[in-house]
Amino acid sequence: MLARLMEGCTSMSLGQMVLRLSIAFGLLMAILVGVGLGGLDRMSKMNLAIQNVTDTRWAKVKLAREALHYSTVNNRISMQVFLMPDREQTETVLEQRAQNTEKISRILDQIESQIESDAERESFSRIRAARVPYVNSYLSALDLLIKDTEPERAREVMVTTALPNLLTYHKAYEDFVAFQGAGVDEGGNAAEAYYYTARRGVIGLIAFAVVVAAAIAVFVIFRIAGEISNRERAEHDLRTAQEVLEVRVRERTADLEQAQARLTEASRQAGMAEVASGVLHNVGNVLNSVNVAASVIAEKLKSSKVSRLGKAVALLQDHQADLGNFVMSDPHGKQIPEYLTQLSTLLAAENEQMVGEVSLMFKSIDHIKEVIHSQQSLARVGLKPEPVNAPELVDEALRINLVSLERHGVEIVRQFKPCPVACAEKHRVLQILVNLVSNAKKAVMNEGVAQRRIVFSTSPFVIDGKLFISICVEDSGIGIATEDLSRIFQHGFTRSEGGHGFGLHAAAIDAGRMGGKLSVDSPGIGRGATFTLTIPAIERRSEVHT
Amino acid sequence: MKNVSSSVGPILIVDDNRDIHADFRKVLCTANKDEALLDELDASVFGGEAPQAKVDYVLDSAFQGAEAVELARRARAAGTPYTLAFIDMRMPPGWDGLRTMQELKKVDPNLQFVVCSAYSDYTQDQVCERLEIRDGILFIRKPFDPADVRQIAAKLALPRSAAA
């Protein structure tokens, strides 16, 4: 049963195993207690039996000794009888002796009724057998003394027959007592032998139980050791597997980080590409006007009517002699004033047009310079965080889109609160702001937007004891649906057709890198949107930058 | 005097940038009445032939793709369909050039397109593929050469009746 209890230990849980082990040890303890109690019971019973044997034998010894005592008394009486001269007194003594003899007979009967074995009976019968000759020899001696009054013969019989018979008789008693003593010893020995047997039995049982317990213990220890080694192996395997997994996770994480870095770089480049293509678009348009203006001026100069003035002057010089007559009456000459008037009108117009084109050209060139300037500041990459002035950055970012913003009649509002100097990578902030401006422009340029207005504001604020600067770009454009607010910074999410969805994504990442944040808020579709860029400010106490 | 007003097929300019429209006008609408008058006087005073009056073009301006489609529909209904359209590619916030051309094609299948853009999100092949045009499409880059624009206009903007 224990073995069955122990079966399948390896395949069960530790709790189950402990339960089964407890049951097994419980059973073992019960067996041990049972064996112990049984042994004790038997031993106490054995003690009682020994006690009984001793008691009955002792009683018989006592009876035998009592009988011997009376016999000894009687013998003394007998001796007295021989010495007594008074016969009357002899009668009294003999009377007492007869009583004693009677008592002895009763005692002997009592002993005989308690005889238990043949050996005992034999020993006892020797008492009776020895008694008869003694009593007979004594009585005959007495008869010789009293009846025959032959004291000499009586004394002779007494000495030669009665006394030896008495000795034999008493010897039989002694033998009987000795027999009983031997019996007691024998019983004790038997009991002791039995006791030892019983003790051996108990000890054997206990030893057996101990061996079984030891066997179980060894078995259990073996199983537990096996189980522990199994579990240790399993644990080791698990740990190994875990380590392998960890390594894989680390590798995969590293891969992912690299991929993310590549992606971030790609989006940043794409974001820059978007900015660059915007710049190209603007510059291209402005340059177109410059080119057209230049070619118009060139054409005007080439086909200038100034040469015609020279022609007219030459004609008048030809008719210098009769100039009045020529102008007044000559069919060609008459047309001269009209020709000159027309020519001067044209030349004035021509001049005006060229002045217009030149000023237009200068304006366009200024625009291009501004765009290029912004682009140059964007292109300065790899700069470390430096103290930057938020309002200045906003203005710089605005410049790149200013041409098209003005062209489309977008109202620009600047609300700059005095700001501490921020600490940031200038080109990154600029790139983010350029993106925000471009987005705001797209938002207000949408069809159905009544008021085209973008409000730029900067203000300092404190979070957790740290000073930050927030730059808000609030547009009155198409707004953002509430459900899109959370997706707006996601990679690939775009609101504009042809947009890449990189701009805001890269911007948000860059803002995070600078220890800042880019957030968005919009009351909903058609209700405008506010993008807020937060960048850390330089604390006043650490404002050691020059 | 008659020649001055002799204009060829109307041209549609589609661009979100107003300056570009002005540029097109400067390049394509060079005829000047005062100049023509002077030329006549010149011929009369100094003798010789007055130069041929310059060909003048009628230009229509659209600043958004949808607006262009609407103009094309009206022109067709009025019996004076556009022969040529100069299309910008990036025209926020509305349709881009490609979409605009797709829509214009639906309204007037014979309309000829010239893409005129500083930056295109599509390659020439992509545009042809999307518009299902087999023999290519003219691309001119801003800033453009005024002479190119004049040549293209002279080549493509013939009145349809004359071309037919």
Side-chain angles (χ1 to χ4, degrees):
Chain A
M1 186 161 74
L2 286 171
R4 206 187 311 152
L5 275 169
M6 299 311 298
E7 265 172 26
C9 267
T10 46
S11 61
M12 70 179 69
S13 75
L14 202 61
Q16 278 177 305
M17 199 168 76
V18 165
L19 182 71
R20 289 203 176 187
L21 280 178
S22 306
I23 292 171
F25 271 107
L27 281 170
L28 198 61
M29 286 302 118
I31 288 168
L32 281 174
V33 168
V35 167
L37 285 176
L40 278 179
D41 185 49
R42 287 186 75 172
M43 284 206 283
S44 78
K45 274 182 186 160
M46 225 147 50
N47 264 352
L48 274 175
I50 291 164
Q51 195 72 41
N52 277 343
V53 169
T54 314
D55 284 355
T56 49
R57 302 237 169 165
W58 189 242
K60 284 177 214 167
V61 167
K62 266 170 78 185
L63 284 172
R65 285 210 174 131
E66 204 181 343
L68 187 61
H69 166 72
Y70 284 127
S71 179
T72 309
V73 170
N74 274 3
N75 186 44
R76 208 165 50 236
I77 288 168
S78 302
M79 292 304 165
Q80 279 173 347
V81 168
F82 278 91
L83 296 172
M84 271 176 205
D86 188 358
R87 284 302 149 197
E88 274 182 29
Q89 203 178 3
T90 307
E91 286 295 319
T92 317
V93 175
L94 284 175
E95 186 77 13
Q96 195 187 345
R97 191 181 184 280
Q99 279 174 13
N100 283 349
T101 306
E102 192 68 23
K103 277 180 190 167
I104 289 167
S105 296
R106 271 208 308 277
I107 288 168
L108 286 177
D109 287 346
Q110 203 181 338
I111 291 172
E112 194 169 23
S113 72
Q114 289 178 23
I115 296 285
E116 286 167 327
S117 67
D118 289 344
E120 196 181 1
R121 191 175 298 281
E122 197 196 331
S123 178
F124 179 72
S125 63
R126 266 192 235 120
I127 295 175
R128 278 201 193 282
R131 192 188 178 198
V132 175
Y134 161 67
V135 170
N136 287 342
S137 62
Y138 171 72
L139 283 177
S140 63
L142 202 62
D143 279 349
L144 279 174
L145 181 70
I146 295 164
K147 286 178 184 170
D148 302 337
T149 59
E150 285 177 62
E152 284 306 313
R153 268 196 67 194
R155 215 170 275 133
E156 195 185 329
V157 169
M158 196 66 184
V159 171
T160 58
T161 316
L163 279 179
N165 282 349
L166 177 70
L167 285 174
T168 310
Y169 173 46
H170 278 191
K171 177 80 167 49
Y173 272 112
E174 293 298 335
D175 285 349
F176 184 71
V177 167
F179 175 81
Q180 291 299 351
V184 168
D185 280 352
E186 203 177 286
N189 284 343
E192 201 177 348
Y194 191 73
Y195 171 78
Y196 279 121
T197 311
R199 207 171 65 168
R200 271 200 303 277
V202 169
I203 287 170
L205 270 173
I206 288 172
F208 173 73
V210 165
V211 167
V212 168
I216 289 173
V218 166
F219 179 74
V220 163
I221 286 167
F222 180 75
R223 279 290 175 97
I224 286 177
E227 178 69 5
I228 286 171
S229 77
N230 274 348
R231 288 186 186 206
E232 274 177 354
R233 203 163 43 238
E235 205 181 329
H236 176 76
D237 289 352
L238 196 66
R239 213 178 300 129
T240 311
Q242 208 172 356
E243 277 165 12
V244 168
L245 202 64
E246 258 174 37
V247 167
R248 275 192 200 159
V249 166
R250 266 202 299 277
E251 283 172 2
R252 193 55 56 89
T253 309
D255 284 352
L256 279 176
E257 274 169 3
Q258 275 181 7
Q260 198 189 5
R262 281 198 297 272
L263 200 62
T264 307
E265 189 50 34
S267 3
R268 222 171 65 81
Q269 283 172 354
M272 286 178 75
E274 198 159 87
V275 171
S277 68
V279 168
L280 201 60
H281 185 77
N282 280 329
V283 172
N285 276 330
V286 180
L287 212 54
N288 200 68
S289 300
V290 173
N291 199 35
V292 168
S295 58
V296 165
I297 291 168
E299 277 172 27
K300 289 279 171 205
L301 287 174
K302 214 154 60 185
S303 63
S304 179
K305 307 296 181 287
V306 172
S307 58
R308 309 232 183 151
L309 189 59
K311 243 163 68 177
V313 168
L315 187 66
L316 288 175
Q317 274 174 343
D318 286 347
H319 298 86
Q320 210 168 10
D322 55 341
L323 199 60
N325 192 34
F326 178 70
V327 174
M328 293 298 285
S329 53
D330 188 89
H332 293 292
K334 276 201 288 192
Q335 286 178 316
I336 287 293
E338 196 193 344
Y339 182 82
L340 285 176
T341 309
Q342 189 66 30
L343 187 60
S344 91
T345 311
L346 270 171
L347 282 174
E350 200 180 271
N351 189 49
E352 197 184 333
Q353 205 177 355
M354 282 196 286
V355 167
E357 290 296 337
V358 167
S359 78
L360 206 70
M361 237 165 86
F362 276 122
K363 207 176 141 196
S364 297
I365 287 165
D366 276 347
H367 287 170
I368 291 167
K369 265 156 59 183
E370 277 173 15
V371 170
I372 286 170
H373 177 72
S374 303
Q375 185 63 16
Q376 275 169 341
S377 54
L378 280 181
R380 268 183 290 155
V381 292
L383 290 179
K384 285 177 183 171
E386 55 183 308
V388 291
N389 183 301
E392 276 177 18
L393 281 182
V394 173
D395 276 338
E396 203 164 335
L398 258 172
R399 213 169 294 148
I400 196 169
N401 276 302
L402 205 59
V403 181
S404 62
L405 284 170
E406 280 174 353
R407 200 179 66 227
H408 292 295
V410 179
E411 184 190 353
I412 303 293
V413 180
R414 291 176 177 82
Q415 293 176 345
F416 298 148
K417 280 184 193 165
C419 282
V421 176
C423 179
E425 290 159 77
K426 195 176 174 184
H427 76 280
R428 281 207 170 135
V429 181
L430 259 179
Q431 197 168 325
I432 294 168
L433 290 175
V434 165
N435 261 307
L436 293 184
V437 172
S438 159
N439 281 341
K441 191 191 95 181
K442 282 178 195 162
V444 296
M445 288 309 296
N446 237 285
E447 289 160 9
V449 173
Q451 192 193 21
R452 292 173 179 179
R453 185 180 144 103
I454 305 174
V455 181
F456 295 88
S457 59
T458 61
S459 57
F461 69 100
V462 174
I463 297 176
D464 294 336
K466 283 184 181 171
L467 191 57
F468 286 89
I469 293 161
S470 72
I471 303 172
C472 291
V473 181
E474 183 185 351
D475 67 64
S476 60
I478 49 167
I480 303 156
T482 312
E483 63 267 25
D484 285 343
L485 280 177
S486 57
R487 298 196 298 137
I488 195 121
F489 296 117
Q490 276 175 19
H491 182 102
F493 181 86
T494 178
R495 285 187 296 160
S496 61
E497 230 174 286
H500 301 305
F502 282 143
L504 281 174
H505 178 70
I509 288 170
D510 277 356
R513 271 194 199 154
M514 288 185 294
K517 200 179 127 189
L518 183 59
S519 60
V520 65
D521 195 24
S522 172
I525 292 284
R527 297 170 67 186
T530 306
F531 283 86
T532 306
L533 173 66
T534 307
I535 48 175
I538 296 171
E539 298 291 335
R540 190 157 297 168
R541 63 173 178 277
S542 62
E543 200 175 343
V544 289
H545 299 267
T546 51
Chain B
M1 295 286 275
K2 206 166 51 176
N3 284 343
V4 175
S5 63
S6 74
S7 55
V8 281
I11 296 173
L12 182 60
I13 311 294
V14 190
D15 198 307
D16 65 327
N17 193 324
R18 282 171 194 277
D19 292 342
I20 298 297
H21 290 269
D23 289 345
F24 272 108
R25 276 173 212 287
K26 279 187 219 164
V27 172
L28 294 176
C29 307
T30 50
N32 189 316
K33 281 184 184 176
D34 292 334
E35 220 175 292
L37 194 64
L38 184 70
D39 285 341
E40 267 182 45
L41 276 170
D42 196 87
S44 170
V45 173
F46 303 103
E49 285 293 302
Q52 187 74 30
K54 283 174 186 168
V55 176
D56 218 347
Y57 299 92
V58 172
L59 301 186
D60 274 347
S61 290
F63 300 95
Q64 287 288 295
E67 190 187 349
V69 171
E70 182 53 33
L71 285 177
R73 186 181 290 119
R74 276 192 219 155
R76 211 172 141 77
T80 53
Y82 297 112
T83 52
L84 175 65
F86 286 96
I87 313 281
D88 187 20
M89 285 310 276
R90 280 191 163 188
M91 295 177 286
W95 301 336
D96 66 6
L98 183 62
R99 175 83 196 275
T100 304
M101 286 188 276
Q102 285 170 329
E103 297 294 328
L104 281 172
K105 233 187 147 196
K106 286 181 200 166
V107 173
D108 188 348
N110 297 319
L111 185 54
Q112 302 170 93
F113 300 114
V114 174
V115 174
C116 178
S117 193
Y119 179 88
S120 176
D121 296 304
Y122 311 93
T123 64
Q124 241 160 304
D125 290 343
Q126 279 173 326
V127 173
C128 289
E129 198 183 314
R130 296 279 279 275
L131 288 176
E132 294 169 357
I133 294 170
R134 289 192 182 168
D135 46 359
I137 188 161
L138 272 174
F139 262 62
I140 54 172
R141 296 272 172 205
K142 290 179 193 168
F144 54 67
D145 185 346
D148 288 348
V149 173
R150 280 200 200 97
Q151 275 183 14
I152 289 165
K155 192 82 180 165
L156 297 178
L158 296 170
R160 286 215 190 140
S161 50

